[in-house]
Amino acid sequence: MVTPTALVTKNPVSATALQTKVAPNNRKNMTHVGVDQGDNAYKISAYTLRVRLKPNKDESNDNGTLVYSLSAAIEHTVGSHTSSILPHTRGTIPLHNGNGQVTLPTNKYFSGTISINAIAAGF
C-alpha cells in the first residue's frame, strides 16, 4: 500500500495497492501500476514493485526473506520545464511462518507499507 506525500498532493488520496505473487519455483516477480496522483508541482504517474523470495539456510521459504524494491515515476514541473525523477526504496522483510510486514523508510515523495502473507501447501 503506497500513498503520495504532502509534497506531491495537497488533497489526501486513497492508497494504491500493488500486489504480486511469488512461489518457491518462481522466486522473482514485478508489478507496475499506473496512477495519476499529484496537484502540486510534482505528479506521480506509476509505481513499480519488484520482489524476490530468498529461502533461509535450510531452504525453507516460510522463514526466509523477501527482498523488495519500490520505485515511482515522478514528473516535476517548474514553469515550462519538466524533469523526470525516479525515487526508489529497497529493503528486506524477514518472514516468520510466511508472514512479514515493514513500513517503508522515510521518503520525500511516497510512503506506505509492504506486507507478505504466504500460504504454504503440502502434498
Side-chain angles (χ1 to χ4, degrees):
M1 303 298 287
V2 185
T3 56
T5 63
L7 177 68
V8 176
T9 181
K10 307 178 269 207
N11 303 317
V13 297
S14 59
T16 301
L18 292 99
Q19 290 185 308
T20 189
K21 294 182 180 182
V22 291
N25 295 332
N26 180 16
R27 292 190 172 134
K28 293 183 184 181
N29 215 340
M30 182 187 84
T31 187
H32 181 81
V33 175
V35 295
D36 184 9
Q37 298 174 335
D39 51 21
N40 290 331
Y42 295 92
K43 183 175 181 175
I44 299 177
S45 60
Y47 294 107
T48 302
L49 175 66
R50 289 178 175 83
V51 295
R52 183 168 46 104
L53 185 62
K54 292 177 67 176
N56 65 9
K57 292 178 183 176
D58 68 357
E59 296 301 312
S60 166
N61 289 301
D62 287 347
N63 294 312
T65 305
L66 181 78
V67 179
Y68 69 87
S69 173
L70 176 66
S71 62
I74 299 177
E75 295 177 355
H76 181 215
T77 304
V78 178
S80 63
H81 178 70
T82 301
S83 60
S84 295
I85 305 170
L86 192 63
H88 64 278
T89 185
R90 297 175 216 196
T92 59
I93 302 173
L95 303 180
H96 301 286
N97 295 324
N99 297 304
Q101 182 171 339
V102 67
T103 300
L104 294 173
T106 304
N107 187 302
K108 189 171 164 180
Y109 307 103
F110 58 86
S111 63
T113 59
I114 294 181
S115 62
I116 178 170
N117 300 307
I119 300 170
F123 297 105

